[in-house]
Amino acid sequence: MNERIRELAEKCFSYSRIVNPGEPQLVTHEEVEKFAKLIVRDCAKTIESQDVDPSFKNRMSWALKTKFGVE
């Protein structure tokens, strides 16, 4: 698993789900939603950190967050 994805997953899912990914376990809607929002925020931060026109990166970051309903 990608290290950054693992870090985000550890913020959302119980430790046993991370350590034992092959074992079937219930995942709550809230956990999945939190994980998705963290990924979207991380992607938006990546856009915001690029060395391009500030107006462009702000619009792209806003568009990404808006598309997925993340503030």
Side-chain angles (χ1 to χ4, degrees):
M1 179 185 301
N2 174 288
E3 186 58 33
R4 184 62 184 142
I5 299 266
R6 183 182 189 85
E7 290 170 8
L8 296 175
E10 287 173 353
K11 293 180 179 183
C12 303
F13 304 112
S14 73
Y15 180 75
S16 64
R17 289 190 191 118
I18 303 299
V19 175
N20 304 310
E23 293 181 16
Q25 298 180 11
L26 295 177
V27 178
T28 68
H29 174 75
E30 290 79 16
E31 290 172 319
V32 172
E33 186 172 352
K34 182 177 180 182
F35 186 54
K37 285 182 177 183
L38 287 173
I39 290 173
V40 171
R41 285 189 189 119
D42 208 58
C43 291
K45 284 181 185 176
T46 299
I47 291 169
E48 293 164 3
S49 70
Q50 299 306 302
D51 187 23
V52 295
D53 173 48
S55 176
F56 174 76
K57 66 183 177 183
N58 290 338
R59 286 191 324 268
M60 292 300 100
S61 175
W62 175 84
L64 179 67
K65 290 186 247 181
T66 300
K67 173 145 180 95
F68 292 100
V70 175
E71 299 166 17

